[in-house]
Amino acid sequence: MNKLFETENILLIMRYVFVISMTILSLYPIFWVLSLAFSGSQSLSITELPADPSSWDRIRAIIPWPENFSIQNFIDVLTEQQFGRWLFNSAVVAGATTVFGVFLASTSAYAFSRFRFPGRGVGMMTFLVSQMFPGTLMLIPLYVIIVGWLNLENSYIGLVLVYSVTAIPFCVWMLKGYFDTIPKEIEESAIMDGASQAVIFWKIIVPLAKPAIAVTALFSFMAGWNEFILASIFMSEEQLYTAPVGLKFFVGEHSSMWGYFAAGSVIVSAPVVFLFLYLQKYLISGLTSGGVKG
Amino acid sequence: MKAQVVNNRIFSFIVIFTLAYFAFLHGLNDSVSRLYQQSEVDKAVILSGFTAHKMAGSDSLSLQDAALNLKASNERIADIKVLKLRGAKVIASTQDEDKHQSFPFSLPKDQKSFFDEAKKIKSAYGKTKGGQFLNPLVSYQWLDTASNSILRVVYPYLVNDRFKGVLQVDVLTEPKAVSPYYVIDWFILLVLALACLVFFNKKTLSNVNFKYISVSKNTLNTSVYLFLFLCVAVLLCVRLVHNFQIEQSDAINNITELLKSIELVLANTDMLWINRYGLDMQRLDEVSQPFYLQWMASNTQALMAKLFVYILLSSLLLIFFVSGSAAKTRDAFRENRQAYMYVLPAMLGMLVLVFFPFSYGFILSFTDTTMFNESLSFSERFVGFDNYLAILGDFNLFKELDGQTIINYENFYWTLFITICWTVSNVVFAVGLGLLLALALNDSRIKFRWFFRVALILPWAIPNYITALVWKGMFHQQFGVINQVIQIFGFEPIDWFGSVFTSFLTGLTTNVWLGFPFMMVVILGGLQSISTDMYEAAKIDGANRWQQFKYITLPSLKPTLIPAVILSVVWTFNMFNVIYLVSAGEPAGANEILITQAYKIGFEKMQYAYAAAYSVVIFMILLVYGVFQNKVSKVTDANS
């Protein structure tokens, strides 16, 4: 009895209480979306409240468990709405962004990490500064370039180009930090064996940097998968909306189809959440090991 | 070696010169063809106006014959088509495809654009002010066929001054012949290049002794090349301008001839019809040729300005090349070819899609561009620092509304204040929560740590726009979960987006929910790298828990925490999605942060330039913060 009230134990209990309550808070919105998604209705509330609700009714209304369990929202959103098509668009755009973005970022990060050349410092600095460019400043010029000059309105290519290029600075800084940790001796011995620079890069550096490249890929993928402002500007045809634009469309100014929104959100979030959880430990090391140090 | 260097410079000189000259030629060609096209349009409009006048005179039975006659009598008229607006009936047409139709017949569906055009002209015909038509009654468009280009002019078709329909005349225009001047100029250029090569070949150069003037050799070379270049450039410019004037007078003669030929007709008919069709009388009047002269003068001026810019740019390039900077750059490139090849793709992309848009936006911020004056030339839109003055110089934080003094939420300083509150409160809460959670989770006695870790990271993993929309739903006044909880405790539901403070809270809650996992994970990583020996040593020295935290944990966390805080300040400062999607700046724009305000100005009020200036101010604030932060962290690094 006495032991239970020792400082150590009280602290431990306080920690438990704190951690558990925070966990509930962080999970609640997720369960809320899930319960809307599986409710089979378009309503924003979990249950229909009677005219004069009792406390119990109200408590029931905040428990994130649907009244009637149904997967109708998922079926409808994929068949009646064009959401399937939008998902496909997003997948194409995000996939291409990943491939292209990783290529661009890894080659230049390698140069910044391994070579000393005039303009290196300036290049790294401008990459960093470009992170501070406000998006609102870039929207109109980007529209002029992509739609006016390159004539890429309603085309996947326009979005892929913009997404992969705007993700470059962050990816380069992260990859460079990782490349710096790969010992130079490996390359030197490869040069002794007569390997060319290209062979060294593709056959030695890239395989060694797999974790960092995986994180860069995740980052590029999320950049393409989650963006909605540029996508809504460049893609004016409903057929070519990306999933984020479509989701916003469900609960936008003129409609409130919360059931569709919730079901769509679950579908859109699932892949990124799993990828994220799978790759998170690399993400942390990437972020902390010089990735963000000026 | 020396000869090689000099030879390289001569080569680059020729290259630049060719490029610059090509630019001159292009500018000239552009201006001349624009003038030529304008004169062709004028001719065609006059001709078809004349046709319309003739047609209006004939009665409806002989209309088709009149059209055929007119087509046969003038070789420049390709086709005539008359559309009666009521019922959309074609009442006369000389087009091949309508040959077998009996008139009148209904306009085919695929020519609906013709009908739309007719309606537009009718509405223009209805609007007059003081006897003048407000909008031109004539519309024209170029039709490009394989062999020749045709101008399609659409005119009102009036019978007894009443609007019946429209008349469409396809006028053949003469394609512009390639001027022989260009060929001659190219020839001169070629000769010049060859002469350079012959005069400055390797052998001649090796005989030149630079020994005694080696100090000023570079300067000498530079000045000699520059002088040569400027001489030739000025000579050629004079020639070009002269040629341009010849071309222009040709174009004017061209139109004067036509005017003369129809002068007779005009003398015999009522001139008023032309006025009625909205044509500029001045253009028709041979006496008032000043219109063209004026046109020419403004064009010549523009051309001269262009030439000046070209000369300036190419001189700069020349200096860059002959002074040796180019050689240095090239040597650097040769030495580090591989490095540059690796950087090239990313740099190219960044230049086109990041740095160019930035510069474009920056320049835009010195204009007064809105959606309505986009087509004006840059010099007409240029306003200098007006936008910046309007943003930064507006200190009217309060305004009068219905006799009450209220805060002017659109004022820049109010928005800046909100943005700073937003950034500071977000970072403080996120770091605080993250630190507490990390410290709690670092306790190895807690069971299921992996579960808590994963559960607490989830908010970071979910796309933030979804999170924002979800919280917006949860804050709904009537159906939102949060108001249900409040009602359980017997309180009235809150209109979250109705007042400044509660609306601010909605954004804050959402963003802290989004942001604390990142901080927690970063801090957890930092905590795990602290060796337990330090704590044990501290315990032996009798340090209590707080002292351990203050003297061991916090200092060890600094290297990981500071970059994370810097990053999250920048992210939060520009966190567009949360504000835009959750509160949308409600009520009345009071909770807008700078970035959402800039978006609102640019894309809801369509004041592009003002939004650009706003964005530049945001960038400057972040840049100053970045530089300041960099200095501070350097100082603290040096101290530790």
Side-chain angles (χ1 to χ4, degrees):
Chain A
M1 192 66 195
N2 221 0
K3 236 183 167 181
L4 190 70
F5 289 103
E6 272 175 26
T7 352
E8 281 296 318
N9 282 334
I10 293 175
L11 266 175
L12 185 63
I13 291 166
M14 274 168 64
R15 277 176 193 176
Y16 264 118
V17 170
F18 179 61
V19 168
I20 289 172
S21 53
M22 280 307 292
T23 308
I24 291 171
L25 274 181
S26 83
L27 289 182
Y28 184 83
I30 299 167
F31 280 108
W32 183 81
V33 177
L34 284 171
S35 61
L36 285 198
F38 286 103
S39 69
S41 77
Q42 296 303 328
S43 162
L44 180 56
S45 46
I46 298 164
T47 57
E48 288 292 322
L49 278 182
D52 184 25
S54 63
S55 285
W56 167 242
D57 285 330
R58 292 203 188 279
I59 290 172
R60 174 65 194 90
I62 63 167
I63 294 173
W65 191 259
E67 262 182 325
N68 312 302
F69 193 87
S70 132
I71 55 165
Q72 197 57 41
N73 276 337
F74 288 92
I75 297 170
D76 286 352
V77 87
L78 289 174
T79 53
E80 280 179 28
Q81 302 286 329
Q82 288 190 319
F83 196 72
R85 169 82 210 196
W86 298 338
L87 269 181
F88 172 77
N89 294 337
S90 263
V92 170
V93 169
T97 303
T98 311
V99 174
F100 196 53
V102 167
F103 170 76
L104 288 178
S106 59
T107 47
S108 60
Y110 179 66
F112 282 129
S113 163
R114 283 298 187 266
F115 300 104
R116 295 289 174 274
F117 53 91
R120 175 174 175 271
V122 176
M124 293 292 287
M125 211 54 203
T126 49
F127 274 21
L128 204 64
V129 171
S130 76
Q131 286 292 285
M132 295 175 180
F133 292 175
T136 44
L137 188 62
M138 319 289 272
L139 277 179
I140 294 165
L142 277 178
Y143 184 82
V144 171
I145 295 173
I146 296 292
V147 177
W149 298 353
L150 301 176
N151 207 6
L152 289 174
E153 193 178 11
N154 290 323
S155 140
Y156 295 139
I157 301 169
L159 278 186
V160 170
L161 277 179
V162 174
Y163 291 160
S164 46
V165 168
T166 44
I168 285 177
F170 189 82
C171 294
V172 164
W173 273 95
M174 215 150 90
L175 276 176
K176 185 201 162 265
Y178 196 88
F179 285 158
D180 283 344
T181 65
I182 300 174
K184 264 200 159 167
E185 286 76 23
I186 299 176
E187 286 158 85
E188 279 159 6
S189 58
I191 292 173
M192 296 300 281
D193 293 342
S196 71
Q197 196 58 250
V199 170
I200 291 175
F201 179 69
W202 292 110
K203 294 272 164 68
I204 297 173
I205 296 295
V206 170
L208 277 177
K210 249 183 202 157
I213 287 183
V215 174
T216 314
L218 172 71
F219 188 79
S220 303
F221 184 83
M222 299 228 293
W225 187 254
N226 293 344
E227 206 280 340
F228 72 91
I229 297 170
L230 287 170
S232 63
I233 291 176
F234 291 160
M235 302 302 215
S236 53
E237 271 176 38
E238 207 176 308
Q239 274 268 309
L240 288 167
Y241 279 0
T242 57
V245 181
L247 279 183
K248 187 160 177 293
F249 171 80
F250 285 143
V251 289
E253 285 154 39
H254 309 294
S255 63
S256 56
M257 296 184 277
W258 283 94
Y260 289 160
F261 165 76
S265 297
V266 172
I267 299 173
V268 169
S269 305
V272 262
V273 167
F274 284 118
L275 270 177
F276 194 90
L277 292 179
Y278 180 66
L279 292 171
Q280 48 122 342
K281 68 166 184 263
Y282 299 124
L283 190 64
I284 314 315
S285 63
L287 281 171
T288 47
S289 78
V292 291
K293 283 178 199 161
Chain B
M1 177 60 202
K2 287 235 162 72
Q4 186 62 41
V5 170
V6 177
N7 246 359
N8 278 340
R9 286 179 190 174
I10 291 167
F11 177 71
S12 44
F13 167 64
I14 294 168
V15 169
I16 296 164
F17 192 82
T18 317
L19 286 177
Y21 196 72
F22 181 73
F24 295 161
L25 275 183
H26 179 77
L28 175 83
N29 212 349
D30 189 48
S31 303
V32 168
S33 59
R34 259 172 45 212
L35 181 79
Y36 184 81
Q37 205 155 7
Q38 184 60 40
S39 74
E40 282 297 312
V41 168
D42 282 350
K43 270 158 61 174
V45 168
I46 291 166
L47 181 65
S48 48
F50 180 59
T51 313
H53 176 65
K54 278 270 194 187
M55 295 284 287
S58 39
D59 56 34
S60 56
L61 286 174
S62 60
L63 206 63
Q64 175 68 8
D65 293 335
L68 287 171
N69 275 338
L70 273 170
K71 184 186 172 182
S73 66
N74 194 328
E75 57 186 7
R76 286 169 63 87
I77 297 177
D79 276 308
I80 301 172
K81 194 168 186 168
V82 187
L83 177 77
K84 202 171 93 179
L85 205 55
R86 181 179 294 170
K89 294 263 194 268
V90 177
I91 46 180
S93 171
T94 62
Q95 280 177 350
D96 282 344
E97 59 193 69
D98 301 330
K99 221 183 264 173
H100 308 295
Q101 300 273 13
S102 60
F103 297 94
F105 64 92
S106 298
L107 190 75
K109 276 237 168 63
D110 57 321
Q111 293 175 27
K112 191 177 172 293
S113 60
F114 184 28
F115 183 71
D116 294 337
E117 199 67 46
K119 277 202 296 196
K120 235 188 273 170
I121 288 177
K122 181 171 186 204
S123 71
Y125 185 74
K127 286 173 193 152
T128 53
K129 189 182 176 188
Q132 292 280 320
F133 293 104
L134 281 181
N135 297 315
L137 299 178
V138 189
S139 78
Y140 57 84
Q141 92 186 85
W142 289 94
L143 303 177
D144 275 317
T145 54
S147 52
N148 43 15
S149 59
I150 291 175
L151 192 72
R152 170 164 286 177
V153 189
V154 183
Y155 250 83
Y157 174 59
L158 307 178
V159 177
N160 297 331
D161 283 353
R162 289 193 27 217
F163 193 94
K164 282 284 179 204
V166 292
L167 184 122
Q168 167 187 296
V169 186
D170 291 349
V171 183
L172 285 173
T173 58
E174 286 165 25
K176 190 176 170 325
V178 179
S179 159
Y181 305 120
Y182 302 132
V183 183
I184 295 169
D185 283 353
W186 279 114
F187 183 70
I188 293 174
L189 202 67
L190 200 74
V191 171
L192 202 83
L194 281 175
C196 280
L197 279 179
V198 172
F199 276 110
F200 296 96
N201 67 23
K202 236 179 186 171
K203 206 180 162 197
T204 338
L205 277 170
S206 60
N207 290 336
V208 178
N209 195 350
F210 282 127
K211 210 174 170 183
Y212 300 105
I213 49 163
S214 59
V215 183
S216 59
K217 192 179 64 190
N218 257 344
T219 333
L220 186 82
N221 272 344
T222 311
S223 36
V224 166
Y225 285 126
L226 202 60
F227 181 71
L228 228 147
F229 172 75
L230 283 178
C231 282
V232 182
V234 167
L235 273 175
L236 277 169
C237 287
V238 171
R239 235 184 83 78
L240 280 177
V241 172
H242 179 67
N243 289 349
F244 177 62
Q245 282 165 344
I246 293 175
E247 292 258 3
Q248 279 182 320
S249 54
D250 277 359
I252 290 175
N253 285 343
N254 192 6
I255 192 161
T256 318
E257 253 168 55
L258 181 92
L259 287 171
K260 269 186 185 154
S261 70
I262 61 169
E263 203 176 355
L264 263 176
V265 187
L266 289 177
N268 297 329
T269 52
D270 177 11
M271 281 285 280
L272 276 176
W273 64 264
I274 291 174
N275 194 11
R276 191 175 293 145
Y277 291 139
L279 248 186
D280 190 343
M281 280 297 287
Q282 274 201 324
R283 289 199 197 182
L284 279 174
D285 195 345
E286 198 206 346
V287 190
S288 59
Q289 250 192 22
F291 173 79
Y292 275 99
L293 292 177
Q294 216 181 350
W295 216 87
M296 190 173 79
S298 69
N299 259 292
T300 317
Q301 232 170 20
L303 186 71
M304 290 300 274
K306 244 185 223 170
L307 289 182
F308 179 72
V309 171
Y310 288 146
I311 291 176
L312 199 78
L313 281 181
S314 30
S315 302
L316 283 177
L317 261 177
L318 194 70
I319 291 171
F320 173 67
F321 269 80
V322 291
S323 67
S325 309
K328 257 182 228 157
T329 314
R330 193 204 47 214
D331 288 347
F333 185 78
R334 269 201 195 144
E335 239 168 72
N336 306 291
R337 207 170 57 88
Q338 244 162 2
Y340 287 116
M341 290 310 279
Y342 275 110
V343 180
L344 190 70
M347 268 298 171
L348 217 68
M350 292 284 289
L351 268 184
V352 177
L353 293 175
V354 176
F355 295 116
F356 176 77
F358 177 76
S359 322
Y360 186 109
F362 188 71
I363 292 170
L364 195 69
S365 73
F366 292 99
T367 66
D368 64 347
T369 310
T370 62
M371 201 175 86
F372 308 105
N373 66 356
E374 263 180 303
S375 51
L376 290 178
S377 74
F378 177 75
S379 55
E380 280 173 283
R381 286 181 285 147
F382 183 76
V383 293
F385 282 91
D386 281 9
N387 288 327
Y388 293 97
L389 282 179
I391 295 167
L392 299 173
D394 177 15
F395 296 103
N396 296 321
L397 260 176
F398 300 96
K399 64 178 179 187
E400 293 279 324
L401 193 79
D402 304 330
Q404 282 178 318
T405 310
I406 54 164
I407 296 173
N408 179 12
Y409 293 134
E410 286 182 4
N411 186 284
F412 170 77
Y413 293 101
W414 169 261
T415 314
L416 181 67
F417 168 71
I418 287 288
T419 313
I420 291 171
C421 290
W422 159 259
T423 310
V424 171
S425 56
N426 266 304
V427 173
V428 166
F429 279 111
V431 171
L433 268 181
L435 186 65
L436 287 176
L437 279 171
L439 287 172
L441 281 183
N442 204 34
D443 188 337
S444 55
R445 289 169 305 171
I446 289 198
K447 299 267 182 337
F448 304 114
R449 278 203 294 171
W450 62 270
F451 167 77
F452 289 122
R453 216 181 121 100
V454 168
L456 288 168
I457 280 179
L458 275 178
W460 184 14
I462 295 167
N464 65 11
Y465 69 96
I466 291 182
T467 309
L469 289 169
V470 164
W471 279 93
K472 184 196 167 101
M474 298 207 302
F475 277 114
H476 194 279
Q477 188 180 6
Q478 195 182 350
F479 304 112
V481 174
I482 291 164
N483 274 348
Q484 301 291 348
V485 175
I486 288 171
Q487 281 166 301
I488 291 175
F489 296 104
F491 297 106
E492 282 299 300
I494 296 172
D495 177 11
W496 287 98
F497 303 111
S499 79
V500 180
F501 182 67
T502 52
S503 183
F504 183 82
L505 277 185
T506 60
L508 183 65
T509 315
T510 311
N511 206 37
V512 169
W513 190 80
L514 271 172
F516 81 86
F518 170 73
M519 287 298 168
M520 179 191 85
V521 164
V522 168
I523 295 168
L524 212 50
L527 284 178
Q528 274 156 4
S529 66
I530 303 174
S531 135
T532 46
D533 298 350
M534 303 227 298
Y535 291 107
E536 270 157 28
K539 264 182 205 161
I540 292 168
D541 288 344
N544 64 23
R545 208 174 285 276
W546 170 248
Q547 283 168 329
Q548 284 177 29
F549 176 74
K550 194 175 164 194
Y551 295 109
I552 301 174
T553 316
L554 270 189
S556 325
L557 280 181
K558 219 169 73 180
T560 42
L561 203 54
I562 283 179
V565 168
I566 294 175
L567 206 65
S568 104
V569 164
V570 175
W571 282 345
T572 316
F573 197 88
N574 277 346
M575 178 47 86
F576 178 84
N577 284 5
V578 169
I579 295 287
Y580 181 71
L581 294 175
V582 178
S583 68
E586 290 294 317
N591 271 308
E592 244 24 286
I593 58 171
L594 291 173
I595 191 94
T596 54
Q597 184 80 337
Y599 183 84
K600 214 177 184 179
I601 294 168
F603 295 91
E604 284 169 25
K605 297 182 185 165
M606 301 295 172
Q607 294 174 326
Y608 299 149
Y610 197 74
Y614 218 93
S615 310
V616 171
V617 172
I618 298 173
F619 170 65
M620 290 299 170
I621 293 171
L622 279 176
L623 197 66
V624 168
Y625 166 78
V627 171
F628 172 74
Q629 188 66 256
N630 204 16
K631 284 250 166 74
V632 168
S633 56
K634 260 185 195 154
V635 169
T636 50
D637 275 359
N639 286 348
S640 59

